[in-house]
Amino acid sequence: MDTVVIESLDPLIAALRSAGYTVVGPTVRDAAVRMAEISSAGDLPAGAGDVQRPGHYRVTERGDDMLFDFAAGPDSAKRFTQPPRQRLFRMRGQTVEEVREKAQCVALLGVRACDLAAIAVQDRVFLGRHPDPAYRRRREALFLIAVNCAVPGGTCFCVSMGTGPKATTGFDLALTELATPHRFTVESGSERGAQIVAAIPHRPAGRGDLTAAEEVSRIAATRMGRHVDTAGIQQWLPAAHDSPRWTDVASRCLSCTNCTMVCPTCFCSTVEDITDLTGEYTERSERWDSCFSLDFTELSGQPPVRSSALARYRQWLTHKFATWYDQFGTSGCVGCGRCITWCPTGIDVTEELSAIRDAPGETSCIR
């Protein structure tokens, strides 16, 4: 289907709801742009912007009617593909009851290109050699409406990672918001996306619309807040095992797990058993965990394999940017910048990578 133009998002939202989807989009709550259920375009954060830098996030008022002129907030699609907590099974007495919850049909409105790339990374993890049936059900029930980024945040570096700011694949629909007059170009990326567009008022995109949409992405690509030099990173980062920079960053890291909680690709989890006071009912759940947690690498009651913050930070950064390639054939980072913004002490992974790469006396052996 060719690119078309729509004047309002209300018919799109209504069509998705009529098709059985719960529509989830950006809203302002808890002093941040958060993803929540919406029923109309009036629920979207018109005129909202944000300021992001290491350890700092603030929602601002832009004084216009634009609906998506802000960078990625703390929520990503991970909450809908890999929920923070999910029940695995329960037991009543000696009877085991397997839990097979039906996946809710969710339409995510406002997904950015970096988050589409993150979903593709998680697909490699959960649909690869050992597919996760629950993840597959949730993934297939997800309708993705991308919005091409116009205003990157101060911590964004998706251009460095080759993941944005323009969505090129992995979406059902991709929107570009344009001003004067306010409108949206719409590109279909799937058959079900095309069916939704066919059901709402639209017109063919003219040359001026297409040129304006291309300009949005071009300008956004020049306004990245951060940059990472990824040349040779698979080799030099693991080889920097003994870099003095690890000690420096470990002295600032709180091991609070914020970076992994907001990261759209981190997938570490643990299992938790809960029983009632009678012992007749037991429930096992999977919940998000983090490689920054001290007990994450406990083995058979032995002391943790990575007992220091230095070892845990080194493992996380090296895995994310280098050894993830060995496992999944791609980087584990998509350049969204959330880990920088939401780190309480303002640790900037782009700064750390640059310092580690340039540190004198780093070893060339991999241990």
Side-chain angles (χ1 to χ4, degrees):
M1 182 177 178
D2 293 332
T3 301
V4 301
V5 172
I6 60 176
E7 308 297 334
S8 168
L9 292 182
D10 279 320
L12 173 62
I13 294 170
L16 289 166
R17 287 165 60 89
S18 295
Y21 290 100
T22 297
V23 182
V24 173
T27 62
V28 175
R29 61 187 179 92
D30 302 328
V33 177
R34 303 293 306 274
M35 298 296 283
E37 183 176 353
I38 61 173
S39 58
S40 72
D43 296 327
L44 297 171
D50 58 18
V51 175
Q52 298 192 39
R53 56 179 182 264
H56 178 92
Y57 178 98
R58 293 291 184 274
V59 174
T60 62
E61 283 292 335
R62 296 175 53 88
D64 56 32
D65 295 325
M66 301 298 278
L67 301 178
F68 299 103
D69 271 3
F70 47 83
D75 295 329
S76 71
K78 182 171 75 171
R79 288 188 171 273
F80 302 92
T81 57
Q82 184 201 5
R85 180 181 293 272
Q86 55 181 313
R87 190 163 53 190
L88 300 177
F89 68 83
R90 53 180 173 254
M91 292 183 63
R92 299 183 188 277
Q94 300 298 313
T95 304
V96 178
E97 301 175 3
E98 184 179 355
V99 175
R100 184 183 172 88
E101 296 180 354
K102 183 179 179 181
Q104 183 182 18
C105 291
V106 174
L108 284 182
L109 172 61
V111 182
R112 305 306 172 105
C114 57
D115 283 330
L116 291 176
I119 294 172
V121 170
Q122 284 219 319
D123 285 352
R124 288 175 179 259
V125 175
F126 291 105
L127 300 178
R129 183 177 300 179
H130 303 288
D132 183 329
Y135 178 91
R136 184 184 295 279
R137 290 194 298 271
R138 289 189 294 268
R139 183 71 176 84
E140 291 175 349
L142 206 57
F143 189 102
L144 298 172
I145 307 116
V147 171
N148 290 319
C149 192
V151 185
T155 58
C156 292
F157 55 101
C158 65
V159 169
S160 296
M161 306 311 298
T163 60
K166 179 179 173 59
T168 58
T169 187
F171 55 81
D172 293 292
L173 296 174
L175 313 180
T176 302
E177 186 176 19
L178 303 176
T180 58
H182 191 224
R183 65 207 188 278
F184 302 85
T185 62
V186 185
E187 178 185 354
S188 298
S190 69
E191 180 58 34
R192 61 180 181 175
Q195 291 173 356
I196 290 292
V197 171
I200 64 176
H202 64 270
R203 64 171 174 82
R207 184 181 298 276
D209 300 313
L210 298 175
T211 299
E214 291 172 1
E215 189 70 358
V216 166
S217 296
R218 187 194 68 79
I219 293 175
T222 68
R223 298 173 61 187
M224 293 289 108
R226 294 290 187 275
H227 170 76
V228 171
D229 183 357
T230 59
I233 198 168
Q234 291 174 254
Q235 290 73 45
W236 65 254
L237 184 54
H241 183 277
D242 296 324
S243 170
R245 187 67 180 194
W246 297 121
T247 301
D248 180 270
V249 68
S251 69
R252 291 174 279 128
C253 177
L254 304 178
S255 293
C256 68
T257 80
N258 263 22
C259 54
T260 55
M261 294 298 106
V262 296
C263 176
T265 65
C266 279
F267 59 87
C268 289
S269 63
T270 189
V271 293
E272 202 168 63
D273 292 329
I274 301 173
T275 184
D276 65 5
L277 294 177
T278 68
E280 289 298 311
Y281 178 84
T282 303
E283 180 178 292
R284 171 165 289 183
S285 298
E286 177 186 285
R287 64 169 176 82
W288 288 358
D289 203 351
S290 172
C291 58
F292 279 93
S293 299
L294 178 61
D295 60 356
F296 187 75
T297 56
E298 284 188 353
L299 299 174
S300 303
Q302 298 300 311
V305 174
R306 301 185 188 93
S307 58
S308 68
L310 184 155
R312 295 193 293 274
Y313 190 90
R314 181 173 57 199
Q315 157 63 21
W316 174 72
L317 195 69
T318 303
H319 185 214
K320 183 68 62 176
F321 284 89
T323 56
W324 203 297
Y325 284 99
D326 301 326
Q327 285 184 284
F328 306 112
T330 185
S331 174
C333 176
V334 296
C336 68
R338 289 183 175 96
C339 61
I340 304 173
T341 297
W342 296 97
C343 174
T345 61
I347 295 174
D348 182 341
V349 292
T350 67
E351 179 182 315
E352 299 309 317
L353 289 168
S354 179
I356 292 166
R357 183 193 60 210
D358 299 335
E362 72 178 38
T363 179
S364 60
C365 63
I366 300 176
R367 302 179 185 179

